[in-house]
Structure formats: C-alpha cells, structure tokens
Amino acid sequence: MIKKKDYKKTWIALLIAAAILILVVVLDNLPSKVVPSMLLTVLQKGAIYALVAVSMNLLNGFTGLFSLGQAGFMLLGAYTYAVLTVPVARQASVYQRYPGGGLGFSVTESLGNSMGQLGLFLGVVLCLILAGCVAGLFAWFIGLPVLKLKSDYLAIATLGFAEIIRSVVQYEGLGPVTNGSNLLYGFTGFSDFHMGELKLTTMMPFLFAGASILIVVLLINSTYGRAFKAIRDDEVAAEAMGINLARHKRMSFVISSFFAGISGAMLAMFQASVQATAFKAAMTYEILLIVVIGGIGSVTGSVLGSFLFVGCSEWWLRFLDNETILKNFSAKVQFCALLAALIAVVVGFGLLRLKRSGRKIIFRSGKRIAVDWGPVLALALAALALGWDVWFLLSSNLKLPLLRSGFRMVVFSVVIMIVVLFFRKGIMGDQELWDLRRKRRSAKAKAGAGK
Amino acid sequence: MRENVLRVENATMQFGGVVAVDNLNLEINKGEIVSLIGPNGAGKTTAFNVITGVYAPSNGRVEFCGETIVRNHPQGKMKKLYKGQNPELYTTGLRLPDTGITPEERTLLEADERERDPAAFTDKVLCPTPDRITNLGMARTFQNIRLWKSQTVFDNILIAKHLRRTSNLFSATFRMNRREEEAQRADVERLLDIVGLGGLRDELATSLPYGKQRRLEIARALATEPKLLLLDEPAAGMNPQETNDLTEFIARIRSELGLTVFLIEHHMDLVMDISDRIYVLDFGGLIAKGTPADIQNDQRVIDAYLGVAEDA
C-alpha cells in the first residue's frame, strides 16, 4: 500500500519536472519580442545558483557545518570543465601567453565530432562529473584537517582555502594548464545545444541542475541524510548513537563540494568564459544569502531563493542603477501615486503586526505598557517617506533622486536587512513545498478529531 | 559462572589536578541490573563517559563481552602529573602477580591473556570514539536529555538504526535498500509500542512531556540493538508515579529483550527496587559494593550521604 502511494508521488514529480522542461524549451524558442532575453538569462543563472545553493544548504542547513568555501570549489569545477573542453583549434589563441599550453585535446569536441549532439551531450555530462570529482577530491583532502574545527573556525578555514585556490590557479607556473590569470574561453557552452532548429540553451542548465538537486533530495531523505540531520541537531547524541562523526561530516563536505564543482562548471558554460578573479568570497556570500533568504534547511527554499535573488540582482532592480528623468508632470504624479500606494501597503502590514502582537499603546495613569518598537519604527519611516513623496510632487524637479549607478546594491542590502530582522526563517523556514500540503492535511485531521 | 558483560579495571580519569574517577573497578554480568550511586560530584557520569568512550581515561582498561575496548596509561606529561594508582599497569599489560606462580603457569596465563587481548603486552593505547563502542553493542542515555530536537519521535528512533545499516551511500541514495528501510521502520514501530509512545510517532521530540522524552531516549538507545544499556539518571525530575512506571519499565525491557542494564540514579526507591547489585562512588573512589541490603546497612555509604562530624 505504501509502495503504491510512493509510485504515485514519483509519477507526479516526474510529470512536473517534464512540464517545467517543456515550458523552458518553449520560452527559449518564442520570438524575443514575446520573451525578454533577460528572462532567459535569469532562468539559466537561477538554475545554476539553485544547485550551488542547495549544495551549500546540504552542508550548512542539513549537516550543521558552517562552511564558506563554496566559491573555491566552484572555481575548481569551472576550471576543470574549461580546460577539458577548449577546442583544439582554439587552444593556440586562448593560451597565447603560454605557447604550447592546453591539453591538446577536447573531450566535448572529439565526442561531438564523432556522435553529433548526443556525443556533445555525453561529453558535457562526463566533463561536468569530472569537474565535480576534482572539487570533491580537493574537499576530501581539505576536510581531513579542517573538519575537526567547529562553527566560525570552520568558516574561516574554508574561506581561507577558497582564497588560496584562487591564487594558486592564477600562478604563472600553472599557466600552460590554467592560462594563469587570463581568460579561458571558446569552450562548449549551453548555446551549443540544439535539436535541429529547436534551441535548448535554457533547458540544459535546468536539466543538469534538476538532476543534481534530485540526487541531493534523495540523499537528504535517505538514512545518510537523516544521520546528517542528527549531527546538526546534536553531535554528542549522534556520536553516542553510533554515527561516525568524522566520516559523515567528510561525506557531506565532499558531496556538497562535488555539486558546487558541477555548478561552477555550469557557470563557466553560462558565461562562456572563466577567470579566477570572478570567484571571490563575494560569490560565496551571495550564495549564503540565497540560502538564508530561502530558509536554512529547505531545498525548495534555496531554489526559490536563487531565482528570486538572480531575478532581483540581474533584472528587476536594474532600474535603480539608471539615472531617470521623468518626462512630464503626469508621469511624476503617477510615480508619486505608486510610491504612496507602496507606503500604504507597508503601513497596512505594520498595523497588522501591531494588532497581532496584542500590545496596546495606551499609557494608563503613569503606567507604561511595553510597546513593540519594530512596527512603530516602520510606521515612522513610512510617514517620513510619505512626507518626502508629497514634497517631491510639489517641487519642480523632474529627475528621480537617489537613482544612480550602485544604488541597486544599497536597496539590496536594505532588503536583506529586513529579511534578516523580520523574516529570520527565510521564505520556507526548514519546510519543503511538499511538507506544507501534508501539514495542512494533518492539521485538518487533528481539527476533525478534536470535534 | 555467569557471562561477564562489562569489566572496568583500574579506571582513573584525571582532569588537571582533579581526579574525577579514582581507580574504579567493577564488573557486570549478563542479565544483571547494576546501579552506580553516590553523592553529587562523585564522578558517576565521568565513569559512564569513560566506559562509553567520551573521555579517554588517564589510566585503566575497559572490557566489553571479553574484548578490551578501552586501554590507556599515563604518557607524556601525564607521567609526572598522574595521581592515581598503578600507572605502570597497562604499559605492559602485566596483570599477573610477580611472585607465587611457576614459569609454566606464567606462560599459560600470558597465552591466555594474549588470546583475550592481542595487544595486551604492548604499550598500545586503545581509545575508540563513542560511535565505535556503540557499534559493539553498548548504548546510553544522557543525564540532560539529548534528543534530536527538530526530528519527530519516529525519526529520532529511526536515525539510531543508522548504525546497523548494510546499505552504502549509493544504494541508500538511489533507494536500492527498500527492504532494509522497511525492516527498520517496522522495528521502530515495535520499539514505539514497547515504550508506549505509539500514538505520538509524528510529534516533535521536544514537544513531549519530560517523562516521555526520557522514555524516547531509552527507545532510541534500544534501537541501536545493544547488549548493555547504560542509563544516566533515567528518573531525574520525575514524580513518584512516573518513577514507579519507569522501574517497571526497566525491569520489563530487561526480561523481554534480554538486556543487561547499568544505571546511575539518585532515586533510592528505584535503585533499591530493581538493582541486583550496587556500586557506591564517593570523591571518585569506590567505597562500597554489594546487594541493596548490604548497601543500606553500610556505614561508609551512610557517612558519605549524610556526612560525618569532623572531630567526632
């Protein structure tokens, strides 16, 4: 009986996955007037970031190891992939500063020449797995000394490692392989995939990331995943119940790095070029941010968070970086009305919070009653913003203030602060999408039993 | 003679200048319920930690089912600082008397010793991590409850089954261990019934009342399929009714599952009720051992618990 239910669930999951892939292919092939090219960029990069965020969540959220080495492992994956797949004909121009550099063969090229698109696909899969393996191998060695550390110390050590890797890759002596600090380019990317006229550029990252995330989810729900969660919840108890801490931590670290390596390779495919300087600690922080926004310990949270993050940083908040001058007074009225509406929504939520917190702001005869200052502060800020809005409407200036290059990051930081202050559990907390349905059902059952 | 399950020899645990456990010797036979009692700070939990591998003892040896699982002797800096007895005992494994036996007897005894413990005549230190000891068949609970907080009652027990797995990472991830998984789940259901938590399987472990959390911890320890169960103050914070239930429960699991139980406890009703034998610790050292009746009448035990007038 249980088995039947399991099969049903598997079928539903497969159907949803197939639907998403088909939708992505359709989006990819619609004329660019209908589908903005930005959407495709966001989808591709979002899928890649989703994988690396899930891999980081496996380590930070499910095993409780606070590691900040993700960018380092991504870099290893990206370089492994790039070095293996630069076409032979282009190696001379790519490695022009290191004559005779390059491997002298290209996995995807040779497979692609002999078997066409299928060969190309197999070659890319092979190289992605190799990229993951290189990252995993490094993780295994680094894990030996580093995983004895706990919390902040582990974070510092892994962060240091990532920086070391970045410097080593740029080392002149490795130039014939890594091209020193110069770009590697010309290798097989997502845009090389097509089926006749049908473009598969966006489907490929979805396919690879989806398959990898599926494996992580299966792992998390297996007996090993449960052991990881036990280590996160209480190490001492886990060890006393026979879970080998060193072994399981290393396992989690290596697997996480394996998938970080794969996503690094995919990032290289997406960007069509690799340079070590791009894989800075800032990249790790971006991923950490996605994990926190999505919810630590939630795979769906990480996936949603990464699309949201990439969407915001690449697309929706781009306008904040452009200096904007409104065309005429009516445009200004529209802008001010929009802002006022936004403020009204914020104020509404603030009032809702006040009401729900159940604290009355009444001063009885000299007796102060505790006030929840968060919403009060928010309301005060909203009032200030509204005042400014009115002032801007009445002034003769048509140029929108504040909007200039770099302002996007300021807004982003503020959004993050708000998330961390008020929605500390992130979008999903430690729940998954499929948990929510089950929870509602069990709540219903309980209410029914109560009657 | 009854089969020996646990034997602790000369165990000493020294933290800096403090000797928390001083030259502890004890033996537990199969099927017994043995208690370790003593005033606060006597070193009971430290003794447990030495047996289960949380601490490596400064000196001494622990044998489990005839196999040496822990052995250590003062080395390096500890050689000078060591305050316990017989520091040389485990450096050569010499547990034989120097005089009074003939060379032939000595050879025989040595051969016997070597068979029991292949590394007996070396300086080899043996300090496995707690998980390895649990794997051998010794499971414990904690004085301050240590359940996995974000997990349900069911998952808490299921996770403890992890160490008896036969699947590897690959087969577990790709669900090629369905049969084992089902067997594990069935076993967890059985354990839930035994400890009487069947109706609470999907509750979060921390949402249970205190007494039930204790029971869950015992169930979790039982899930590791132990031969010897170590309970660290299982009745702490329980009211008399709950303590009575627990007493019955421990007696029941002993007879039903054929377990040996070693427990630390402060509730004397419980201890005197179910113990076959009792060891009494004070200031790290063993001051008495025997049946509950012996212990109740032992002057040193009474003194340790009630105190003695200084210049009487």
Side-chain angles (χ1 to χ4, degrees):
Chain A
M1 167 140 190
I2 292 167
K3 267 191 177 167
K4 224 177 212 173
K5 218 165 136 196
D6 272 7
Y7 280 128
K8 200 179 150 198
K9 269 201 272 181
T10 316
W11 276 112
I12 291 174
L14 276 177
L15 275 178
I16 293 174
I20 291 174
L21 285 183
I22 290 170
L23 180 72
V24 169
V25 174
V26 169
L27 282 178
D28 217 4
N29 289 285
L30 285 174
S32 58
K33 271 182 203 163
V34 188
V35 180
S37 67
M38 219 31 167
L39 177 66
L40 297 178
T41 309
V42 166
L43 285 177
Q44 289 172 22
K45 205 175 169 189
I48 294 164
Y49 267 53
L51 175 57
V52 65
V54 168
S55 83
M56 193 174 196
N57 214 339
L58 172 67
L59 202 56
N60 290 16
F62 289 98
T63 321
L65 295 170
F66 189 41
S67 153
L68 291 177
Q70 234 60 7
F73 296 114
M74 285 175 81
L75 178 136
L76 283 171
Y79 265 81
T80 308
Y81 177 82
V83 168
L84 283 173
T85 58
V86 174
V88 179
R90 301 190 67 172
Q91 283 181 358
S93 66
V94 170
Y95 290 96
Q96 54 180 328
R97 282 202 51 215
Y98 302 93
L103 293 184
F105 67 90
S106 159
V107 176
T108 49
E109 194 187 29
S110 30
L111 280 170
N113 285 346
S114 57
M115 288 195 281
Q117 281 283 312
L118 180 68
L120 194 69
F121 180 76
L122 289 179
V124 167
V125 169
L126 180 68
C127 289
L128 284 179
I129 291 174
L130 281 175
C133 287
V134 168
L137 192 72
F138 270 78
W140 195 85
F141 281 112
I142 293 152
L144 290 178
V146 160
L147 286 178
K148 288 181 182 142
L149 302 171
K150 282 189 180 148
S151 63
D152 322 8
Y153 300 99
L154 177 62
I156 294 164
T158 46
L159 191 65
F161 150 74
E163 292 296 299
I164 291 169
I165 284 288
R166 195 162 60 82
S167 314
V168 168
V169 164
Q170 295 180 32
Y171 169 54
E172 291 281 316
L174 290 176
V177 181
T178 64
N179 208 13
S181 56
N182 308 307
L183 272 178
L184 277 173
Y185 58 89
F187 46 81
T188 315
F190 290 129
S191 51
D192 293 332
F193 286 105
H194 54 82
M195 203 186 274
E197 287 296 295
L198 209 61
K199 278 190 281 181
L200 299 177
T201 313
T202 317
M203 195 203 78
M204 282 301 154
F206 268 74
L207 186 67
F208 294 140
S212 306
I213 291 173
L214 175 71
I215 292 173
V216 175
V217 170
L218 284 175
L219 171 71
I220 285 170
N221 291 323
S222 76
T223 176
Y224 284 87
R226 291 194 293 263
F228 292 162
K229 288 182 221 168
I231 292 173
R232 169 192 68 186
D233 282 358
D234 193 327
E235 257 188 45
V236 176
E239 196 172 27
M241 291 302 126
I243 295 169
N244 187 334
L245 287 187
R247 188 156 164 238
H248 283 81
K249 281 181 175 179
R250 194 158 60 230
M251 208 182 262
S252 171
F253 193 54
V254 169
I255 293 167
S256 165
S257 307
F258 175 84
F259 287 111
I262 288 185
S263 67
M266 279 162 61
L267 195 65
M269 291 174 83
F270 166 73
Q271 291 170 338
S273 68
V274 195
Q275 197 168 18
T277 42
F279 294 87
K280 283 192 178 130
M283 187 178 255
T284 305
Y285 297 142
E286 280 182 353
I287 299 154
L288 182 64
L289 202 70
I290 292 171
V291 172
V292 171
I293 290 177
I296 293 172
S298 164
V299 173
T300 30
S302 290
V303 173
L304 291 176
S306 67
F307 282 106
L308 203 65
F309 174 86
V310 174
C312 286
S313 74
E314 300 280 326
W315 190 12
W316 300 321
L317 296 183
R318 275 278 167 196
F319 73 93
L320 294 170
D321 270 5
N322 306 330
E323 293 200 2
T324 312
I325 294 165
L326 296 174
K327 276 181 217 122
N328 48 36
F329 186 70
S330 71
K332 193 163 150 179
V333 172
Q334 277 172 17
F335 170 77
C336 287
L338 198 71
L339 193 59
L342 196 72
I343 292 165
V345 170
V346 172
V347 169
F349 271 111
L351 287 176
L352 212 65
R353 267 183 79 91
L354 258 189
K355 201 180 161 198
R356 224 184 289 158
S357 68
R359 291 173 182 158
K360 293 168 195 158
I361 318 172
I362 302 172
F363 295 89
R364 268 184 229 149
S365 54
K367 201 180 174 187
R368 278 188 74 177
I369 290 170
V371 175
D372 194 359
W373 286 109
V376 172
L377 200 70
L379 288 183
L381 279 176
L384 217 70
L386 196 64
W388 175 85
D389 193 27
V390 173
W391 172 81
F392 180 65
L393 186 65
L394 297 177
S395 72
S396 59
N397 198 353
L398 275 181
K399 182 174 175 287
L400 285 182
L402 295 176
L403 297 194
R404 69 202 59 187
S405 176
F407 186 60
R408 180 172 56 119
M409 293 323 285
V410 176
V411 172
F412 219 75
S413 311
V414 172
V415 170
I416 288 153
M417 275 169 66
I418 291 172
V419 167
V420 173
L421 279 175
F422 297 108
F423 310 98
R424 207 161 304 157
K425 290 182 112 183
I427 302 172
M428 301 293 297
D430 57 358
Q431 307 277 310
E432 303 291 352
L433 268 183
W434 45 92
D435 285 343
L436 295 181
R437 233 179 104 232
R438 196 192 314 155
K439 192 151 271 182
R440 201 185 305 149
R441 207 183 299 153
S442 75
K444 245 184 214 169
K446 234 178 222 174
K451 280 168 200 168
Chain B
M1 203 182 101
R2 298 181 77 177
E3 196 184 328
N4 187 266
V5 172
L6 183 78
R7 171 183 306 177
V8 179
E9 279 174 13
N10 257 300
T12 302
M13 185 73 232
Q14 189 177 339
F15 298 104
V18 179
V19 185
V21 173
D22 189 8
N23 204 39
L24 177 67
N25 285 284
L26 55 84
E27 261 181 61
I28 298 174
N29 295 321
K30 191 163 194 275
E32 274 186 318
I33 295 182
V34 177
S35 299
L36 183 63
I37 62 171
N40 286 328
K44 305 182 294 294
T45 298
T46 309
F48 256 40
N49 284 342
V50 166
I51 294 168
T52 55
V54 176
Y55 300 140
S58 314
N59 186 35
R61 161 147 119 162
V62 179
E63 238 173 65
F64 180 62
C65 296
E67 187 187 347
T68 302
I69 55 169
V70 176
R71 183 201 309 109
N72 202 357
H73 54 84
Q75 329 150 54
K77 214 167 67 177
M78 275 307 282
K79 261 185 185 165
K80 267 187 198 165
L81 299 174
Y82 186 68
K83 289 181 174 172
Q85 303 171 17
N86 309 322
E88 70 290 340
L89 199 57
Y90 298 97
T91 55
T92 55
L94 273 183
R95 302 193 312 122
L96 310 176
D98 282 341
T99 51
I101 51 169
T102 62
E104 290 81 42
E105 277 174 343
R106 173 176 287 274
T107 331
L108 274 176
L109 281 170
E110 277 184 5
D112 192 34
E113 180 70 21
R114 199 166 273 135
E115 195 184 325
R116 279 208 306 165
D117 179 5
F121 296 92
T122 63
D123 282 4
K124 213 172 150 193
V125 168
L126 193 64
C127 298
T129 45
D131 57 278
R132 305 244 327 258
I133 292 182
T134 309
N135 258 302
L136 294 172
M138 196 194 288
R140 71 173 293 182
T141 65
F142 294 90
Q143 189 174 1
N144 44 343
I145 299 174
R146 280 180 174 274
L147 290 166
W148 293 306
K149 294 190 177 67
S150 67
Q151 306 294 320
T152 61
V153 169
F154 188 84
D155 282 348
N156 259 284
I157 305 178
L158 187 58
I159 291 170
K161 288 244 122 221
H162 180 66
L163 86 163
R164 299 285 175 227
R165 73 194 179 271
T166 53
S167 58
N168 57 26
L169 189 62
F170 186 81
S171 65
T173 302
F174 294 103
R175 302 294 186 270
M176 295 179 320
N177 60 342
R178 270 181 197 274
R179 194 169 295 166
E180 186 187 51
E181 185 93 8
E182 269 163 32
Q184 282 185 354
R185 283 173 191 274
D187 214 27
V188 173
E189 297 285 1
R190 190 178 59 87
L191 278 169
L192 277 173
D193 285 341
I194 289 178
V195 298
L197 293 173
L200 299 165
R201 60 196 298 278
D202 292 326
E203 298 290 323
L204 272 188
T206 41
S207 70
L208 295 187
Y210 195 76
K212 287 188 172 148
Q213 288 195 21
R214 288 248 174 241
R215 271 175 184 244
L216 176 56
E217 233 195 356
I218 295 175
R220 186 178 70 172
L222 290 177
T224 63
E225 296 163 24
K227 296 173 199 147
L228 173 65
L229 184 64
L230 292 99
L231 305 174
D232 197 345
E233 298 205 19
M238 283 190 179
N239 62 32
Q241 177 58 40
E242 284 174 324
T243 311
N244 276 340
D245 291 348
L246 186 76
T247 313
E248 273 171 33
F249 173 64
I250 293 173
R252 191 158 61 86
I253 54 173
R254 186 243 309 241
S255 55
E256 275 181 18
L257 305 174
L259 280 173
T260 310
V261 182
F262 185 30
L263 62 110
I264 293 175
E265 192 44 73
H266 276 303
H267 281 65
M268 283 306 142
D269 328 346
L270 188 152
V271 172
M272 297 302 164
D273 253 19
I274 59 171
S275 302
D276 296 319
R277 285 185 301 118
I278 297 174
Y279 287 90
V280 189
L281 271 185
D282 193 23
F283 293 112
L286 207 57
I287 56 168
K289 60 179 178 180
T291 61
D294 294 343
I295 297 298
Q296 272 167 332
N297 300 319
D298 192 301
Q299 192 54 43
R300 290 183 66 192
V301 177
I302 296 167
D303 289 349
Y305 267 91
L306 298 180
V308 199
E310 283 281 309
D311 18 281

